Amino acid sequence: MSIHTDLDAPKDDALKSARTAAFMTSYLDALTLVERLHRLLLDVIKDEFERVGLLEINAVQALLLFNIGDNEVTAGELKTRGYYQGSNVSYNLKKLVDMGYMHHERSEVDRRSVRVRLTEKGRGVRDIVAKLFSTHADGLVDRGVLDQEGIDEITTALRRVERYWTEQIRYIY
């Protein structure tokens, strides 16, 4: 049985401080990696669209089409789902409508609200992105980069961080 004395307090504080500093370093590394992975994902999508000769839309717009999928949504719904920032979403939706990748229709109930859905052309882009992601998933497994357990652990950890950040926004500010 150990007896904890006041003399142990400086050692405990130093140990806690070292653990906090180590965690902070790892946390910042993780944040940098998430940011870098997002940019890399956009580059991978851009490269795929260059490969297939589809140059009129950018990677952000392609991801937007992929995320909308077969749904009919408003810009507000895309923002509340956490996919996009406000002005970014409105700009890209307008561009995609103008280029024929999406249909838009004003709500009969609320004339300020516009609902959008993919056109056949938009579904073609969605399918290209879906095929790309499927190929990547197969490659990650086939090359032993990740298995089901590994991807589940990553997803679980990222969802916990997402919940923590969401709570910070909702309850602190």
Side-chain angles (χ1 to χ4, degrees):
M1 179 154 124
S2 74
I3 299 174
H4 188 73
T5 67
D6 287 340
L7 296 175
D8 294 326
K11 282 192 244 175
D12 291 345
D13 289 345
L15 184 60
K16 183 178 181 195
S17 180
R19 276 189 276 190
T20 299
F23 184 85
M24 183 64 172
T25 299
S26 295
Y27 178 60
L28 293 175
D29 285 346
L31 293 177
T32 300
L33 183 58
V34 167
E35 189 178 8
R36 196 166 53 231
L37 284 171
H38 177 68
R39 284 193 308 269
L40 199 54
L41 173 64
L42 294 176
D43 286 344
V44 166
I45 293 169
K46 177 182 164 281
D47 287 350
E48 180 67 10
F49 279 83
E50 286 174 358
R51 191 185 68 71
V52 300
L54 185 56
L55 306 176
E56 70 179 347
I57 71 168
N58 63 41
V60 170
Q61 293 164 341
L63 262 180
L64 181 60
L65 293 171
F66 176 78
N67 285 323
I68 291 171
D70 291 327
N71 300 308
E72 184 174 292
V73 297
T74 65
E77 289 169 337
L78 289 169
K79 288 182 274 186
T80 58
R81 291 178 190 180
Y83 290 134
Y84 303 95
Q85 297 299 316
S87 61
N88 186 18
V89 113
S90 298
Y91 169 81
N92 282 310
L93 287 175
K94 182 180 181 337
K95 292 287 286 184
L96 290 166
V97 167
D98 291 347
M99 292 186 291
Y101 290 96
M102 301 185 79
H103 290 292
H104 71 100
E105 188 176 309
R106 288 223 173 267
S107 170
E108 291 296 322
V109 177
D110 180 357
R111 301 300 293 164
R112 296 168 299 168
S113 179
V114 176
R115 301 201 60 78
V116 295
R117 70 184 184 284
L118 303 187
T119 62
E120 189 63 38
K121 189 175 175 184
R123 286 191 295 276
V125 169
R126 180 217 39 216
D127 293 346
I128 292 169
V129 175
K131 185 174 186 252
L132 176 67
F133 289 169
S134 178
T135 301
H136 288 169
D138 291 343
L140 288 166
V141 171
D142 292 347
R143 293 183 184 176
V145 176
L146 277 175
D147 60 9
Q148 186 67 50
E149 184 179 331
I151 197 72
D152 288 346
E153 287 177 19
I154 290 168
T155 303
T156 299
L158 289 172
R159 285 191 198 284
R160 288 195 314 250
V161 172
E162 178 185 36
R163 272 193 305 272
Y164 176 78
W165 285 350
T166 301
E167 289 170 4
Q168 297 305 299
I169 293 167
R170 285 189 183 142
Y171 303 116
I172 299 242
Y173 298 108

